[in-house]
């Protein structure tokens, strides 16, 4: 039994390795499950026993990349608290703004793929949302509960995880306006866009102004130099 499990796990990793090479070389659209199976030297039928679709393969690769990010893992291993909650929101904002503004075309293409999935069958978006929830959801909810208990936030409804998704969708849409070479919105110059977004989202999930001022920090003051914290979720 143990040997069979190991064989299955190794086969899964072999498929993922082949898929990463194919996606890197041909992009999402140019990669097929048939080409991944050929690269892994297995049949397409065997590939489907491990991954039901190309979208499932790609979502798994993105999840693996998130779990390999030491900055994200360090954040998720922190004690749930108001400070952890603020850092989760700030990291998400920084990630999306970097994706929209930075030179990493692969990240920008992933964001476009996410949007396209919503307009298509939604499979990739559903898979990725599930991965994000598994990775971050419990830490967000626990940190929000601690913030409420500490008097730093008010309770907002019976589904606290919805607040995470509202924040996620808001900042993803803000990033989309900046993907074209000519931005759809300038946000008034956006010198302190990151700060504005963080404050907007933190108030939206229930934090009070005193907690925001205390935990968001002077480094995000308007006009200050900022060092982005990498996060791939």
């Amino acid at each position: 039994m143990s040997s069979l499990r190991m064989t299955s796990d190794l086969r899964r990793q072999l498929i993922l390795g082949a898929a990463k090479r194919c996606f890197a070389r041909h992009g999402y659209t140019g990669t097929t499950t048939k080409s991944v199976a050929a690269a892994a030297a297995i049949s397409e039928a065997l590939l489907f026993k491990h991954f039901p679709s190309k979208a499932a393969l790609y979502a798994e690769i993105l999840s693996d990349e998130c779990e390999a990010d030491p900055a994200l893992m360090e954040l998720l291993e922190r004690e749930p608290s108001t400070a952890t909650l603020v850092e989760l929101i700030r990291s998400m904002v920084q990630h999306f703004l970097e994706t929209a503004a930075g030179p990493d075309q692969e990240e920008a293409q992933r964001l476009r793929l996410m949007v396209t999935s919503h307009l298509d069958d939604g499979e990739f978006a559903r898979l990725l949302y599930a991965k994000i929830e598994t990775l971050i959801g419990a830490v967000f909810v626990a940190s929000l509960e601690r913030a409420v208990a500490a008097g730093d936030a008010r309770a907002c409804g019976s589904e606290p995880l919805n607040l995470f998704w509202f924040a996620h969708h808001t900042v993803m849409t803000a990033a989309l306006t900046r993907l074209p070479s000519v931005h759809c919105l300038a946000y008034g110059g956006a010198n302190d866009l990151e700060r504005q977004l963080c404050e907007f989202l933190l108030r939206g999930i229930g934090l009070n102004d005193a907690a925001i001022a205390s935990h968001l920090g002077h480094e995000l003051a308007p006009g200050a130099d900022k060092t982005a914290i990498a996060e791939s979720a």
Side-chain angles (χ1 to χ4, degrees), residues 4 7 9 71 73 87 94 102 115 117 133 138 143 158 166 171 184 188 204:
L4 288 174
T7 299
D9 290 343
M73 289 302 101
E87 198 59 37
Q94 289 171 337
V115 175
S117 179
E133 180 174 334
S143 293
S158 59
F166 298 157
V171 74
C184 302

Side-chain angles (χ1 to χ4, degrees), residues 4 16 57 125 131 133 141 187 199 204 217 228:
L4 288 174
L16 285 173
L57 258 174
K131 297 288 185 184
E133 180 174 334
V141 171
Y187 287 116
E199 290 183 349

Side-chain angles (χ1 to χ4, degrees), residues 23-24 27-28 58 61-67 69 72 91-92 94-115 124 128 132 168 172 175-176 178-179 229-233:
F23 286 127
Y28 183 82
Y58 197 61
I61 288 171
L62 296 187
S63 178
D64 284 352
E65 289 179 0
C66 287
E67 293 179 5
D69 182 347
L72 177 59
S91 295
M92 182 168 63
Q94 289 171 337
H95 167 68
F96 275 109
L97 293 186
E98 276 195 325
T99 295
D104 191 340
Q105 293 303 310
E106 185 177 352
E107 284 288 350
Q109 185 57 43
R110 289 172 181 174
L111 183 53
R112 290 186 172 93
L113 177 60
M114 188 68 163
V115 175
F124 175 70
L128 197 55
I132 294 170
H168 182 279
M172 184 170 71
L176 285 174
R178 299 166 65 80
L179 271 183
I229 298 174
E231 187 215 334
S232 302

Side-chain angles (χ1 to χ4, degrees), residues 66-88:
C66 287
E67 293 179 5
D69 182 347
L72 177 59
M73 289 302 101
E74 186 276 331
L75 176 58
L76 296 178
E77 289 169 0
R78 291 185 187 181
E79 186 72 18
S81 66
T82 303
T84 300
L85 182 64
V86 170
E87 198 59 37
L88 279 171

Side-chain angles (χ1 to χ4, degrees), residues 158-174:
S158 59
E159 297 290 342
L161 189 61
N162 282 348
L163 299 176
F164 171 79
W165 291 124
F166 298 157
H168 182 279
H169 302 334
T170 298
V171 74
M172 184 170 71
T173 302

Side-chain angles (χ1 to χ4, degrees), residues 177-178 183-193 196:
T177 69
R178 299 166 65 80
H183 294 173
C184 302
L185 278 174
Y187 287 116
N191 289 329
D192 61 339
L193 177 58
Q196 285 185 310

